Amino acid sequence: MTNTVTVDRYGVMGYPVSHSRSPVIHKLFALQTNQNMQYELLRVTPEKLEEAVRQFQRTGGKGLNITVPHKRSVCRLVDQLSERASTAGAVNTLAFQDGEIFGDNTDGIGLLRDLVVNLGANITDANILILGAGGATSGIVGPLLEMRPRSLCIANRTLKRAEDLAERFESLGKVSAYRFNVIPVTEPYHLIINATSAGLEGETPPYPEAAVSDKTYCYDLSYGLKPTPFSIWAREHGAAHSVMGWGMLVEQAAESFHIWRGVRPDTKPVLKQMTVNA
Ligand code: ATR
C-alpha cells in the first residue's frame, strides 16, 4: 500500500515577483505553527492572470497572495469578496474552498497592527497625511478611517487620483485631497505615510517639509535592504520615528495565513528575522 503525502499548496502571484519575501515569511510561519504546506513564487503576466488562478484552483491549490500589478484586476475572478476588499477595491489574498474563490484584503489590517500593536502609534485623533493615491493607498484609507483620526489628507502628484479616493471614502470620515506643493500644514502631522512608488525609482518627490516635526511618526510602506529615500528624508527632517514597512509586510502575511490555516502565527520573531537578514 502506498501512502500519498499531500502538501497544501499556496503561493504569491505577481509581475515582477522575484523580489517577494512572502515565501520566506510563510515558510517561517509554517515551521512555527507546524503546518504542512508549501508556498511558491508565481510569475504571472496580466494577460495570463485568469488562466493561472483557475489552473492553481483546478490543481488543488488552497490559497494565493496577489501582488502588483494584479490586486485590482483579480477582483473580477472572485466569487465572494470580503467587505474590506470591496471597500479597498483590491484583493491581496485568495482562498479556494468548495469550488469557490474567496477574496480578501489584509494590507490595511497589516498596517494597523504594525502601527498600533507593534509600534504603539496613536491613530485615533491623529492628523494623518498619506503621500500617494494608487493601489497601496486605496487599501489603507478605509481601515485608518475606522480608527477615527482627526483628519486624513491624501496628497498626490496627480490631483485627480487623490480626489477620486477622497470622494470614494468620504462617507467613512474626514478626507481631503491635494497636490504635494499645496498640502495644508496648520500644525505638524502626527503620522505621515509614504504610499508612492517613487522610492522604487530612487526618486524623492517634493515631500512637504513643514508637515514633519519631532512629534511625527513617518512610515514608508516600501522597505528595503537599505533605508528608503522617504525614510532618509524623514530622519533628516527631524521626525520622531522613521520606519520602513517590514512590519506591515509580516502582519498582512500573518492575517492571510490565519485566513488559510485558522492559526495565528507569532509575528515578532519572524519580523526580527526578516529585518536582521535585511
Ligand atoms: P501602488 O499599487 O504601489 O500604489 P500605483 O497604483 O501605480 O502603485 O501608484 C503609485 C503611486 O506612486 C501613485 O500615487 C503615483 O503618483 P501618480 O498618481 O501621480 O502617478 C506615485 N508615484 C510614482 N512615482 C512617483 C514619483 N516619481 N513622484 C511622485 N509620485 C510618484
Side-chain angles (χ1 to χ4, degrees):
M1 200 171 79
T2 46
N3 267 341
T4 327
V5 181
T6 52
V7 179
D8 289 345
R9 283 171 48 231
Y10 298 87
V12 54
M13 277 187 189
Y15 187 77
V17 78
S18 57
H19 63 282
S20 173
R21 305 299 173 100
S22 293
V24 177
I25 295 172
H26 284 284
K27 271 168 202 161
L28 291 170
F29 287 165
L31 265 177
Q32 187 199 84
T33 58
N34 286 318
Q35 300 292 304
N36 187 20
M37 57 185 277
Q38 65 179 50
Y39 189 104
E40 310 155 42
L41 267 185
L42 301 158
R43 185 169 171 271
V44 175
T45 61
E47 311 79 65
K48 292 273 162 86
L49 179 68
E50 174 160 7
E51 191 186 323
V53 169
R54 304 248 181 249
Q55 195 197 342
F56 194 83
Q57 180 185 27
R58 225 181 9 254
T59 55
K62 298 282 184 191
L64 286 172
N65 281 132
I66 301 294
T67 189
V68 178
H70 306 312
K71 287 187 186 185
R72 277 172 199 274
S73 54
V74 81
C75 291
R76 70 191 155 81
L77 306 180
V78 164
D79 299 304
Q80 272 188 66
L81 202 58
S82 72
E83 200 181 322
R84 58 192 181 186
S86 162
T87 310
V91 159
N92 79 335
T93 306
L94 297 178
F96 303 102
Q97 238 177 10
D98 307 325
E100 295 225 308
I101 306 180
F102 169 70
D104 204 345
N105 190 319
T106 65
D107 285 334
I109 187 71
L111 172 66
L112 279 188
R113 286 190 75 91
D114 194 35
L115 279 172
V116 177
V117 180
N118 299 345
L119 302 168
N122 185 22
I123 311 288
T124 307
D125 272 340
N127 294 319
I128 303 176
L129 171 62
I130 302 181
L131 306 169
T137 301
S138 69
I140 63 171
V141 172
L144 284 170
L145 286 174
E146 275 173 24
M147 300 291 288
R148 302 257 158 262
R150 193 179 308 163
S151 68
L152 192 152
C153 170
I154 303 173
N156 198 39
R157 179 175 62 181
T158 313
L159 178 62
K160 178 78 172 65
R161 291 185 86 187
E163 286 177 338
D164 287 350
L165 277 186
E167 203 183 305
R168 212 167 99 204
F169 289 101
E170 68 187 355
S171 63
L172 299 180
K174 195 165 169 262
V175 197
S176 52
Y178 295 91
R179 274 203 186 86
F180 288 134
N181 57 348
V182 289
I183 295 170
V185 188
T186 43
E187 54 184 324
Y189 285 85
H190 299 110
L191 173 63
I192 304 180
I193 298 171
N194 179 41
T196 73
S197 51
L200 300 178
E201 300 140 29
E203 286 190 33
T204 312
Y207 297 129
E209 296 180 10
V212 185
S213 81
D214 59 2
K215 306 261 183 307
T216 309
Y217 230 112
C218 286
Y219 194 101
D220 196 341
L221 298 192
S222 304
Y223 50 86
L225 301 175
K226 294 185 296 192
T228 55
F230 175 75
S231 65
I232 295 170
W233 176 89
R235 270 191 210 293
E236 284 174 353
H237 289 83
H241 308 273
S242 173
V243 180
M244 292 191 287
W246 286 104
M248 174 179 173
L249 176 76
V250 173
E251 294 294 343
Q252 63 78 30
E255 195 69 21
S256 299
F257 192 89
H258 181 249
I259 291 168
W260 294 329
R261 309 298 299 179
V263 184
R264 192 172 289 283
D266 181 4
T267 49
K268 270 209 192 73
V270 176
L271 179 55
K272 200 165 164 202
Q273 195 155 339
M274 296 304 296
T275 44
V276 163
N277 288 341

